[in-house]
Structures are given as C-alpha cells and as structure tokens.
Amino acid sequence: MFSTKLRPAIQRIQQIVPTRWIGSSASEATTVQPAFLFSPENFRRPQLPEGLKVQNLIPEMANDTTLAGLGRLVSNPEDYTVAHKTFEITQWPQPGWRQLDPGTGDEAGTTEGDFEVQWKGDFFYGKNLAIATNNNEYLDGLGAVPEHASSDKVADASHIHLWMSDYHPDGGQLFWPRQPIPFAVCLGPASCGDDITPQDMRAFHVPAGKGIYIHPGTWHNGIYVAPRYTVEAPARFLTRQGRVHARISVSWASEFQTLLRLQLP
C-alpha cells in the first residue's frame, strides 16, 4: 500500500496528470499514458500514428447464440422498446449510502433517429442524428492503415481498421438498417469493464434484413458497411439508445498501439 504521507501528493499528481497506476506500491508502480481525449475535434480527425500493430478479427455470423451476453439479433426494431420492457435502461448509481427511491433513476427513456455512415476514400465516417450534441460525428474506421489511407480515391475497402470502441453505461443501443443491407459490428463484453483489451473484441456479420440490439455496457462503436452501399448517399440506420447518452471510450491506437481489422460483408 502507499504510505499515508505520500497519499495527498499522489492524489494531487493524479488530478493534474490522469494516468493509470499499475503496481502495489509507489516504487513498483508504472504508468500508462493518459487516455485519449474524445473531444469533437479528436473524434473527427484523430492523429493516428504510423506503424500501428494490426489485430485481425475473424467475423462470426450474428445470431442469438453467438451474441449471447453481448446483444440480440433483431428482426423488428419495435420488439425492443421501453414500453415493451425489452429495451434496457440502467438505473443511475447512488452517489452515497442512501438507496435510490423505487422507480427512479431510469426514467429518461430512449431517444432515436438516424445514424448515417459513409465512406470517403479510405475514411469511414459516422454521424449520430439521434443525440443532441456536437460530439456526434466520428471517424469510425479506415480502409487502410493510417500511413497508407487516402481520401483522394474511390472507396474500395474490403476491410475496415478500427482505432477505437466505446460503451454506454446508461442503456442499450439498437441499430436497424433503413434499407436491408448487411453490416458488421465489433463487440466486447461488459464484464471486462474499463480494463477491455483488443483480445476481448469479436467481430460479427449481420445479414441483410436484420438489425442488432446491444446490451448496456457492451463495448462497440458504430456499424460498418461495404463502400458499395454508400456510393450515392450515406447508408442510414435507425438507432435507439438511452436518452442520457453517457459514453466511455477506448483508443486502441493510443492505449494499445493497435488497430482492429475485420472483413466487411
């Protein structure tokens, strides 16, 4: 344990430099680089370095067996609503020792709207129109490693390289394609919490005519489609999610010097 004399100094340092400590004592502790800040600017135009490791994920076909613990395959988006008590909204944690009053802390319900995705050369962008924030436009992935990616070309990617993922602690999320097209997702278990690693992530192909519902806390990001589906306009998905829209993210590129690579359906 840290010496009680050191504890105030350590707390002041952690407030200034938000690093994570690993080790059982101050002398043994090593530090991890500060987490990537997912500001609107950084999310749209992250500075991704050259030479990142690439971890290949072999896609599985999404069904209720393969998705167990992560989410569900969706045949009708109206099967997952708060009214039907099938859409999960997580009760807000109690800040002190007093209990939440019954029936409170999970009353915000859901918000919904279109989630647009589009390829621009090797860059795959998403825009979430369901949430009222300016932090709703993202670079979701790349068709090539950063040093070889170009926007001055026809989009022709057969794979996508993912540099980040996130989860929502306040509720689930549903994605339903407005047109029946296949898409891919990349998911990690909520049980990993904030200690998620690239090795915990799995790739899934969702067949045309189906959608996906993701449990609260499941690591994910957006949905990924092949370039042929965004030639004339962005591909649009209905997204339904908790109205609070808390989001906690990991940068695979910054924290693990890694990209997750998966084949597009």
Side-chain angles (χ1 to χ4, degrees), residues 2-236:
F2 294 119
S3 164
T4 55
K5 294 182 179 180
L6 286 175
R7 203 175 289 276
I10 292 170
Q11 290 173 343
R12 287 195 296 272
I13 293 170
Q14 288 178 320
Q15 290 171 356
I16 299 170
V17 183
T19 57
R20 290 184 291 165
W21 288 68
I22 301 174
S24 58
S25 68
S27 62
E28 296 173 354
T30 58
T31 58
V32 178
Q33 291 298 316
F36 182 91
L37 180 64
F38 284 84
S39 65
E41 176 64 24
N42 288 345
F43 219 157
R44 295 168 190 169
R45 286 176 287 275
Q47 300 300 310
L48 300 176
E50 297 183 4
L52 293 170
K53 296 177 290 186
V54 175
Q55 177 171 317
N56 286 296
L57 303 182
I58 300 175
E60 306 169 56
M61 186 56 66
N63 56 54
D64 285 345
T65 299
T66 58
L67 291 171
L70 301 170
R72 299 291 301 272
L73 191 67
V74 175
S75 297
N76 182 343
E78 296 314 307
D79 290 341
Y80 292 88
T81 67
V82 170
H84 290 151
K85 298 183 178 180
T86 51
F87 194 104
E88 301 159 284
I89 298 295
T90 304
Q91 198 171 39
W92 277 71
Q94 52 198 90
W97 59 267
R98 297 183 186 275
Q99 296 182 358
L100 289 172
D101 291 344
T104 69
D106 56 359
E107 303 163 280
T110 58
T111 185
E112 62 182 62
D114 280 343
F115 195 108
E116 297 182 344
V117 294
Q118 186 168 32
W119 284 95
K120 297 181 179 179
D122 285 323
F123 297 90
F124 183 75
Y125 293 98
K127 185 173 184 178
N128 190 344
L129 301 174
I131 53 177
T133 174
N134 66 348
N135 198 353
N136 69 336
E137 295 185 47
Y138 329 112
L139 175 66
D140 272 352
L142 303 93
V145 293
E147 57 266 37
H148 296 150
S150 172
S151 59
D152 299 325
K153 58 173 289 189
V154 175
D156 60 358
S158 61
H159 293 71
I160 189 166
H161 299 75
L162 307 180
W163 66 277
M164 60 78 58
S165 295
D166 65 70
Y167 72 88
H168 306 299
D170 60 294
Q173 187 165 15
L174 177 142
F175 290 103
W176 177 262
R178 295 293 192 183
Q179 299 296 325
I181 60 174
F183 61 97
V185 293
C186 185
L187 307 179
S191 59
C192 290
D194 290 356
D195 295 320
I196 193 78
T197 70
Q199 290 73 33
D200 297 315
M201 302 301 291
R202 295 163 61 191
F204 297 90
H205 282 175
V206 180
K210 300 291 185 179
I212 193 167
Y213 171 76
I214 299 168
H215 293 309
T218 294
W219 285 93
H220 66 287
N221 186 11
I223 59 276
Y224 316 116
V225 305
R228 62 184 179 276
Y229 298 115
T230 73
V231 172
E232 297 181 359
R236 291 190 169 191

